[in-house]
Amino acid sequence: MAQKQTIKFRVSLAFVAMLVVFAIFIVAFNYTKSAQNANQLLDKITSEITRSVIDKTKFYINKTNTNIKVLAKTNKTNTILENKEVVIGNMWDYLIAEEHLASIFVADNFDNFLQARRDPAFAIREISEVNGKRIDYYEYKDEEFFTTEITAKIADYHPSQRDWYKDAKNGKFAVTMPYIFASTGKVGITVTYGNFDEFGNRLSVGAVDIILDSLAKFLKEQSSRSNSSVVLYNADTKEYFLSSDTELNKKYGGKNPPLTSIEDESFIIQSAKEGLKEGKEMFFKSNGGNYVFSKQSFNVSDELSLTLVVVTPEDIFLKEINENLIYSLMGSFAIVVLFIYLSVKTSQYISRPISEIASDIERLQQLDLGMDIKANSSILEIYNAQNALKSLKSALENFTKYMPSDLVKILTKSNQEAKIGGEERELAIMFTDIEGFTAISEKLTPKELTSQLAVYFEEMEKIISNYQGTIDKYIGDAIMAFWGAPLSIENPPKKAVICALEMQQKLDELNDQWQKEGKSLLKTRIGIHYGKTLVGNIGSNNRMNYTVIGDSVNIAARLEALNKNYQTKIMVSSQVKEHVGDGFAFKYMGEIELKGKSELTRIYTIQ
Amino acid sequence: MRSVILVLLCALMLFADRLVIYNWPDYIDTEILKEFTADTSIEIEYKIFQNNEELIKKLQEDSRFDIVFPSLDYIGRLKALDLIDKLDYSKISTLDNFDPFFLQNPQIKDYALPYFWGSTSIIAQKSLHIRSWNDIFKEELRDSIYMLDDLKDMFLLAHKVVGTHPQDATREDIKKAYDKLLTLAPNIKGAFKDKLDLEVKFTNKDIKAAIVYSGEVVEMLEKNPDLEYIFVDDGAILWMDAAVITKDETNKEAIYKFLNYISSAPIASRNAGTIGYASPIKNIISNNKIINPAKDDLKNSSFAALNLTKETYDIYADYYYRFLEEIRSKKGGR
C-alpha cells in the first residue's frame, strides 16, 4: 500500500510547488528580458558613439575652415603682406578663440609668411623681405598681446617649398594625416586652403595646425562609458588616424601600425575591420567574448574621408545581467525558504480540525466513546463534519447499549459485516428471575418500578460484565447471559458460578439498603447450565440478534424455574459442577428428566 | 646624419653673431631690428623689461645680455654692481650726431650712449587745475591717481616736493622723502601699465590724474581735450634712457655696429618718429611741445638722478617696498 501523507504535508507541498514554478518563471522572464535589453542597449550605445564621434570629428577639423579661407584670400596682389596688421590681428583672434589650434598661418608665392602660434609660446612670426634679405622675425606675446620678446634672423625657411603649401588644393580644404609637431611633440594635423588665380596658379595658402589632443580625449570619453575601443582610420582603414588611446596616437600618428603587436583588443579591431561591411554591426567571438562592431565611413571635408570603427564588448552588460541573475536567484531562494515556513504554518491551521476529526473517528471505531466532540470550527465543511460525528457518537452510544460492544469491536477490527450465521460452542448459560415480581410491581408506581429495576439491572450487569459474561437480553425482570462467546474465555461455567454467587451477595446488600429506604425487597433465582449451544447472529439479514439457541438454553431456563420447587437461589446442572471444580459447596438436589436426554440429569445448588 | 648637422648648427650658432638686447616696451621701431639683421646678418634677441628693477634683477641672473637701456639712476647702480663696462667712444662713429649736452650728463659720461629722453610730470583732468607736485597729495584725489611703478621716479618726485637733493641725499633725506611718499599712498589707485590702459582708465573716469612719461600722453591728449599734461611749476623731472654694454667680451663688434646703427641720423629720426620720444640726436626735433617742450616749461626742471650706491639702494628699495605695502593695505590688500 502506498505511503500515506499528512494533509499538512500535501498542502505545504502544493503551496511551495506553486511558488517555485512562479519564481522560476519570473527569474527566467527577467533574465531573457534583461539580455534582450542589454543587446538593444549595446546597439544603441554603439550607434550613439559612432554618431557623436563622427559629428565631433567633423566639427573639430572643420571649425576653422572659414578662417583659413579668409586668410588665404586677404591679398589682392598676391602678396600677403599687403594688409599685414589686419591679417596678424585676425590670426591672433582666431588663435586665442580656438584652443585646439597650435598655429594659424598664411604664405604666398614670394615666400612671405605670417603666423600666429601658440607653441612653444604665444608668438607672431613674420618672414618677409627687408633690405633685400629675407628676415625671419618673431614677436613673442603674452595673453594680452603685449610683446615680451623679439627675435630677428636671416630666414632659412621657404614655405612655398613645403609639402603643406604645394599640396594645397584650389578652393578646397586639404587635411593631412596625423603627425608629430616638432616643436611640442604633440600629435596633430594640418588643414590647408589654396587660393588660386583663374589660370589655376597658386597664389597663397592659408592653413591651421590642429592639435588632436582634445579630439583624442573626446574619443577616450566616448569609449570609457562602455569599455569600447574607438578608432579612426583613413578611408581604406590602412592608415591609423586617431584613437581613444593616447599612447597609441603618439606611437602611430600617421603611420601604418602593425596592430597585431598591440594588446588583444586592438587585434580584435584589426581582424574585424577587414571583415566588416560598411555600417553593419555583428557579433564576433574572440577570446571567449562577444563584441559588437560598427564600421562607418564619413567625409570630413572635400579631401578627407575617414573610417570610424567602434568595438564594444558584450560582457560590459552581460556581467551585470549575470550578477542580477544571481541576485534574483538568491532572492527567490530566500523567499521560497520563507514561504515553506509560512505554508507549513498555514496548512497546519487548515489541517488541524481535519486531523482532529480523523482521530475522533478512529476512536469511534474503537467504540471508545469517552471523548467529547466539539462542533467549533469556523470552516463550514469541517463544522458539518464535526456535527455529523457528534450525532454519530450519540447514535453509537445508544447502540452500544443494545449490543455487546465486544462483538462489535471484533466485527469492526476484522472489518466483518454482521451476517446471519452461528456456530456451536460449549457455553455456560445463565437465567435469572425475580421472585414474585408481578406482585411487587403492582405495589409500585411505574416510575418507582423502573428506577428500582434500573439499579438492580445496572448492578447485575456490572457483575456479569466483570466475569466476562455476555448479556443476551433482558426479558422483563429476567436476565439471560452466557459465557464463552463471542470471545472464548477460560472455564466459562466457573465464571458463571462465581458470578452468580456474587450477584446474590450484591442483592443482599441492595436489599439491606432498600429495606432502610422502605422499598420492596427483591429475590433472584439463578439457573446455570453448561453445554453445547448454537451461538451467533440469529434472525433475518436486516434484523438479527447475537444470541444462543438450543437445549442448553432450555435447560438453563428449567434450572432457574426449579429453584421455586426446592426453595433454592441458585440451581446448576451436573455439567456445571463437573467443570467448576472444588472450592464450592455444591448440594445434590435430585435428578430430573431433561428433554432430549435419555439419562436423568443431576442438579445441584450452591450454598 | 641628423645629429652631425645639429652639432654643426650649434657650433655655427656660437660663432654666428647674435646680440641680446634688453629694453623698455614699445621703445624701438621693430623694422629697425629687422633692417639691422638684414644689413649685418647679425641675429637679434630683443628682450623687454617693465622697469629698472626688473632690468637689474635679470642682469644679475642672466649673463647673455649685450646691450641694455637703463635710466640714468640705474646706470649708477649698474656701475656699483659692476655689471657694465665703459663705452669705447672711439668706436662710436656717430658720436657727432649727439647733442653734447646729453653726452655730458654726469651719469652718462664714459659709460652710456643717450637713447631717448623726456619729462616725467602729471597728466590730469583740466578741471582739477593741477599746477604743482603738491597738488597730487590733496585729499580730493583720494584713490584717483596712477603712479609710475619705478623706485627712482617716485623718489625723485618725493625729493622734489620735500626739497632734498637726490644726487647726494643722506639717510635722513631719504627718510624724509619716504615719509612724504606715504602721504601720497591713499591717493594711489594703481600704476601705469601702458598708454592704452591709461587712456581707458581716464575715459572710464577710474582716475583723475596720473604721473607719467611725456611720450605716453601725446595721442591721448589729441583724443581727450579735457585732459592736459602739466609742466608743473616746481619743475617736471627730466629723465633719460641710455644704452650701456655689459661685461661680456664676445660680441663687442656686433655691439658697436648696433649702437652706431641706431644712432645714425636717418634711423634715429625714424625711431623717434615712431616711438614718439625726444631724441638726443641733433636736429631731431618734434613739433610736439610735449615731446620737445619750450624752455619756459622746463624752467625748474633738470636731469635729476638718485645716487644709487650699494647702501643707499638698499635703503631706497626697502622704503619703496614699504610704500607699495602702504598702498596695498589702504586698498584692503589688493
Side-chain angles (χ1 to χ4, degrees):
Chain A
M1 202 160 71
Q3 187 81 339
K4 295 284 176 206
Q5 297 155 329
T6 61
I7 297 179
K8 195 161 90 174
F9 180 76
R10 282 285 259 267
V11 171
S12 308
L13 190 65
F15 279 141
V16 169
M18 274 197 306
L19 179 71
V20 167
V21 165
F22 189 60
I24 289 173
F25 173 72
I26 293 272
V27 168
F29 180 74
N30 264 343
Y31 183 77
T32 21
K33 212 68 186 111
S34 297
Q36 233 178 29
N37 284 346
N39 281 341
Q40 282 176 0
L41 202 60
L42 268 175
D43 223 76
K44 192 160 171 237
I45 282 183
T46 309
S47 302
E48 266 180 32
I49 292 176
T50 303
R51 200 187 57 238
S52 63
V53 167
I54 289 176
D55 284 347
K56 183 79 172 184
T57 305
K58 281 193 199 173
F59 178 70
Y60 196 83
I61 294 177
N62 292 326
K63 240 198 311 191
T64 42
N65 284 357
T66 320
N67 301 341
I68 52 179
K69 187 170 172 180
V70 163
L71 278 179
K73 292 182 118 162
T74 47
N75 56 88
K76 292 186 180 68
T77 59
N78 66 15
T79 162
I80 57 172
L81 301 176
E82 215 177 295
N83 290 311
K84 200 170 68 170
E85 269 68 39
V86 173
V87 172
I88 289 174
N90 287 340
M91 288 197 303
W92 179 257
D93 289 340
Y94 298 153
L95 185 75
I96 296 295
E98 303 290 350
E99 275 182 30
H100 67 308
L101 293 183
S103 79
I104 181 163
F105 49 99
V106 64
D108 61 22
N109 284 344
F110 298 98
D111 272 336
N112 292 316
F113 183 75
L114 289 173
Q115 182 187 46
R117 53 196 295 159
R118 174 175 265 119
D119 294 320
F122 280 115
I124 301 291
R125 184 182 184 187
E126 183 188 320
I127 300 177
S128 55
E129 201 178 282
V130 178
N131 292 2
K133 298 264 184 67
R134 287 180 68 249
I135 303 292
D136 195 344
Y137 174 78
Y138 281 80
E139 262 184 37
Y140 292 91
K141 303 282 190 184
D142 64 17
E143 300 240 331
E144 286 143 38
F145 207 57
F146 287 118
T147 306
T148 58
E149 190 177 322
I150 295 170
T151 63
K153 62 176 195 212
I154 304 291
D156 56 9
Y157 179 72
H158 298 268
S160 67
Q161 284 160 30
R162 303 297 257 198
D163 282 344
W164 63 265
Y165 191 86
K166 294 196 279 188
D167 291 343
K169 303 274 191 282
N170 184 1
K172 290 201 186 141
F173 295 97
V175 183
T176 65
M177 288 299 281
Y179 63 97
I180 309 237
F181 290 156
S183 51
T184 51
K186 290 188 185 165
V187 176
I189 54 171
T190 302
V191 182
T192 59
Y193 179 85
N195 177 29
F196 287 60
D197 67 15
E198 62 265 33
F199 305 109
N201 299 318
R202 194 183 300 104
L203 299 177
S204 56
V205 173
V208 281
D209 285 340
I210 298 178
I211 305 164
L212 289 178
D213 271 6
S214 299
L215 189 60
K217 202 164 127 195
F218 182 77
L219 296 188
K220 202 183 183 91
E221 279 164 23
Q222 291 300 306
S223 70
S224 64
R225 285 195 305 162
S226 49
N227 222 16
S228 309
S229 292
V230 180
V231 187
L232 283 165
Y233 295 96
N234 69 339
D236 62 9
T237 66
K238 293 245 186 302
E239 267 184 78
Y240 186 84
F241 189 86
L242 196 71
S243 87
S244 43
D245 183 341
T246 33
E247 288 315 306
L248 272 181
N249 293 334
K250 274 219 172 114
K251 220 167 151 197
Y252 295 104
K255 299 175 235 169
N256 184 10
L259 282 178
T260 52
S261 66
I262 321 169
E263 321 84 276
D264 288 340
E265 257 169 55
S266 302
F267 176 64
I268 289 168
I269 297 172
Q270 165 82 323
S271 29
K273 71 176 182 175
E274 281 156 11
L276 277 182
K277 293 196 182 53
E278 174 66 28
K280 274 251 158 77
E281 292 176 15
M282 71 182 211
F283 284 81
F284 180 87
K285 270 194 172 60
S286 173
N287 304 348
N290 278 351
Y291 294 83
V292 178
F293 286 101
S294 168
K295 177 177 169 183
Q296 179 112 2
S297 297
F298 62 101
N299 289 335
V300 176
S301 70
D302 311 321
E303 295 297 306
L304 179 72
S305 280
L306 295 178
T307 302
L308 173 64
V309 173
V310 180
V311 184
T312 310
E314 197 189 53
D315 69 8
I316 182 104
F317 293 115
L318 220 61
K319 236 190 311 186
E320 257 183 62
I321 293 172
N322 287 340
E323 263 174 33
N324 283 341
L325 178 68
I326 292 175
Y327 288 133
S328 289
L329 287 173
M330 275 167 49
S332 304
F333 182 74
I335 289 175
V336 166
V337 167
L338 178 67
F339 200 74
I340 286 174
Y341 173 74
L342 287 175
S343 30
V344 166
K345 281 280 168 226
T346 312
S347 57
Q348 215 168 24
Y349 174 72
I350 293 172
S351 68
R352 188 158 38 89
I354 298 174
S355 306
E356 277 179 12
I357 286 179
S359 87
D360 283 345
I361 290 174
E362 244 177 296
R363 286 165 79 185
L364 284 180
Q365 185 205 42
Q366 302 296 323
L367 288 176
D368 177 2
L369 303 172
M371 74 294 197
D372 186 18
I373 298 181
K374 292 198 199 66
N376 57 2
S377 175
S378 54
I379 299 170
L380 181 65
E381 289 84 349
I382 308 288
Y383 176 75
N384 289 342
Q386 281 172 329
N387 261 338
L389 215 57
K390 218 167 153 180
S391 307
L392 181 65
K393 176 172 171 259
S394 296
L396 273 175
E397 277 172 338
N398 286 333
F399 281 130
T400 49
K401 290 186 183 147
Y402 290 94
M403 68 182 90
S405 50
D406 285 348
L407 175 62
V408 178
K409 278 187 191 158
I410 293 174
L411 286 175
T412 354
K413 269 213 186 95
S414 64
N415 227 9
Q416 272 178 19
E417 201 191 326
K419 289 195 289 226
I420 296 289
E423 56 180 335
E424 198 177 66
R425 280 215 207 168
E426 295 255 353
L427 300 180
I429 318 276
M430 174 195 279
F431 270 92
T432 75
D433 194 31
I434 300 178
E435 214 177 77
F437 184 69
T438 324
I440 296 169
S441 65
E442 280 172 0
K443 283 189 207 156
L444 300 170
T445 65
K447 194 170 168 196
E448 285 168 344
L449 188 66
T450 43
S451 99
Q452 194 168 1
L453 267 181
V455 172
Y456 167 75
F457 280 135
E458 210 178 302
E459 294 301 328
M460 295 301 114
E461 187 209 317
K462 255 193 227 167
I463 298 164
I464 292 169
S465 240
N466 266 347
Y467 286 98
Q468 295 167 297
T470 309
I471 296 184
D472 189 317
K473 47 178 144 313
Y474 295 126
I475 311 164
D477 58 299
I479 306 172
M480 179 174 153
F482 53 84
W483 279 252
L487 301 164
S488 309
I489 57 172
E490 206 189 310
N491 209 340
K494 186 169 181 183
K495 293 223 162 74
V497 161
I498 300 172
C499 179
L501 286 168
E502 199 171 305
M503 280 162 80
Q504 292 293 6
Q505 201 177 341
K506 188 71 186 180
L507 192 56
D508 288 338
E509 281 173 33
L510 284 174
N511 281 330
D512 281 339
Q513 182 71 21
W514 284 332
Q515 182 157 44
K516 284 191 192 126
E517 290 169 4
K519 293 191 174 145
S520 309
L521 304 181
L522 303 175
K523 287 198 175 96
T524 300
R525 298 188 294 251
I526 304 176
I528 309 173
H529 180 62
Y530 183 64
K532 282 204 175 73
T533 323
L534 182 68
V535 59
N537 292 316
I538 313 290
S540 70
N541 248 329
N542 290 336
R543 189 168 168 77
M544 60 185 84
N545 273 333
Y546 189 78
T547 187
V548 291
I549 333 180
D551 278 346
S552 304
V553 179
N554 300 330
I555 295 168
R558 188 131 172 244
L559 285 168
E560 184 272 308
L562 281 170
N563 278 307
K564 205 171 12 182
N565 299 3
Y566 293 88
Q567 311 291 324
T568 50
K569 291 202 173 123
I570 304 173
M571 196 67 79
V572 305
S573 64
S574 56
Q575 285 87 342
V576 169
K577 177 179 176 288
E578 275 155 31
H579 282 91
V580 161
D582 299 328
F584 294 94
F586 285 104
K587 189 175 169 196
Y588 176 71
M589 298 305 289
E591 283 175 342
I592 53 158
E593 202 182 298
L594 292 173
K595 202 187 336 183
K597 286 227 165 338
S598 49
E599 293 168 359
L600 295 169
T601 309
R602 290 177 150 86
I603 59 175
Y604 297 81
T605 187
I606 308 170
Q607 283 160 338
Chain B
M1 185 57 190
R2 245 206 178 142
S3 40
V4 175
I5 296 177
L6 218 59
V7 169
L8 281 175
L9 274 175
C10 285
L12 210 64
M13 267 164 64
L14 283 172
F15 291 116
D17 273 343
R18 172 199 258 192
L19 273 179
V20 185
I21 301 168
Y22 211 10
N23 205 344
W24 296 84
D26 294 325
Y27 223 37
I28 198 166
D29 184 338
T30 53
E31 292 300 309
I32 294 172
L33 293 174
K34 291 183 204 168
E35 286 160 21
F36 177 78
T37 303
D39 291 348
T40 63
S41 300
I42 297 170
E43 261 184 55
I44 295 220
E45 200 178 311
Y46 185 91
K47 288 172 138 47
I48 291 160
F49 59 83
Q50 299 299 321
N51 54 45
N52 286 302
E53 297 303 318
E54 201 184 317
L55 165 63
I56 301 292
K57 190 157 171 278
K58 263 281 149 48
L59 225 53
Q60 288 170 316
E61 290 168 12
D62 195 342
S63 62
R64 291 184 313 127
F65 292 99
D66 297 314
I67 306 172
V68 299
F69 288 79
S71 311
L72 281 179
D73 329 59
Y74 281 83
I75 297 173
R77 175 132 172 82
L78 286 167
K79 274 192 236 171
L81 290 170
D82 201 28
L83 289 171
I84 55 174
D85 250 352
K86 282 194 176 172
L87 259 185
D88 185 353
Y89 288 94
S90 65
K91 295 211 172 119
I92 309 283
S93 55
T94 53
L95 209 55
D96 289 336
N97 291 351
F98 288 86
D99 185 332
F101 170 71
F102 298 100
L103 288 172
Q104 280 153 20
N105 183 292
Q107 311 294 327
I108 296 284
K109 244 161 116 61
D110 295 331
Y111 278 88
L113 207 63
Y115 186 61
F116 283 125
W117 67 273
S119 58
T120 305
S121 196
I122 302 164
I123 179 173
Q125 288 168 356
K126 282 185 184 158
S127 52
L128 291 171
H129 291 297
I130 290 177
R131 287 292 169 261
S132 91
W133 286 116
N134 283 304
D135 290 336
I136 62 169
F137 288 80
K138 287 195 193 151
E139 218 176 296
E140 296 99 76
L141 291 173
R142 193 70 189 253
D143 205 34
S144 330
I145 297 182
Y146 255 26
M147 71 178 210
L148 284 167
D149 186 9
D150 200 296
L151 186 153
K152 72 143 172 45
D153 292 318
M154 296 314 291
F155 269 99
L156 283 172
L157 184 163
H159 278 305
K160 195 108 194 175
V161 173
V162 174
T164 45
H165 295 146
Q167 54 272 22
D168 51 24
T170 61
R171 234 174 227 274
E172 292 75 33
D173 291 337
I174 299 173
K175 175 94 181 25
K176 256 173 114 180
Y178 166 68
D179 288 335
K180 190 68 194 175
L181 271 184
L182 283 182
T183 64
L184 186 61
N187 289 4
I188 305 294
K189 193 178 177 96
F192 174 81
K193 208 169 149 202
D194 60 77
K195 47 191 175 186
L196 285 168
D197 176 64
L198 192 68
E199 197 178 329
V200 166
K201 290 290 185 291
F202 271 116
T203 314
N204 292 344
K205 305 252 191 297
D206 286 336
I207 54 172
K208 294 181 188 160
I211 305 161
V212 79
Y213 303 126
S214 49
E216 306 299 330
V217 304
V218 173
E219 286 136 3
M220 214 180 310
L221 291 175
E222 283 167 23
K223 290 199 220 152
N224 285 305
D226 52 329
L227 294 174
E228 57 174 356
Y229 182 78
I230 306 117
F231 286 99
V232 288
D233 296 339
D234 34 352
I237 296 156
L238 296 181
W239 54 264
M240 197 185 326
D241 294 321
V244 294
I245 60 175
T246 61
K247 291 216 146 182
D248 189 351
E249 292 292 319
T250 49
N251 274 338
K252 284 290 190 279
E253 207 186 301
I255 288 171
Y256 285 101
K257 268 198 182 142
F258 185 78
L259 290 175
N260 285 318
Y261 196 85
I262 58 168
S263 41
S264 67
I267 302 283
S269 174
R270 231 176 68 204
N271 205 10
T274 310
I275 302 305
Y277 272 105
S279 175
I281 307 287
K282 285 190 271 200
N283 301 321
I284 300 177
I285 307 282
S286 163
N287 288 332
N288 191 302
K289 285 294 148 210
I290 292 179
I291 302 300
N292 285 105
K295 267 213 158 63
D296 248 5
D297 290 330
L298 297 179
K299 68 173 178 290
N300 285 325
S301 304
S302 60
F303 282 100
L306 297 176
N307 183 19
L308 293 176
T309 63
K310 278 212 172 95
E311 306 139 23
T312 56
Y313 178 79
D314 285 339
I315 300 168
Y316 274 117
D318 179 50
Y319 277 138
Y320 188 65
Y321 176 75
R322 290 207 255 165
F323 171 56
L324 292 178
E325 278 298 302
E326 180 69 16
I327 296 169
R328 263 184 232 116
S329 67
K330 285 265 181 280
K331 293 193 184 334
R334 184 158 31 114

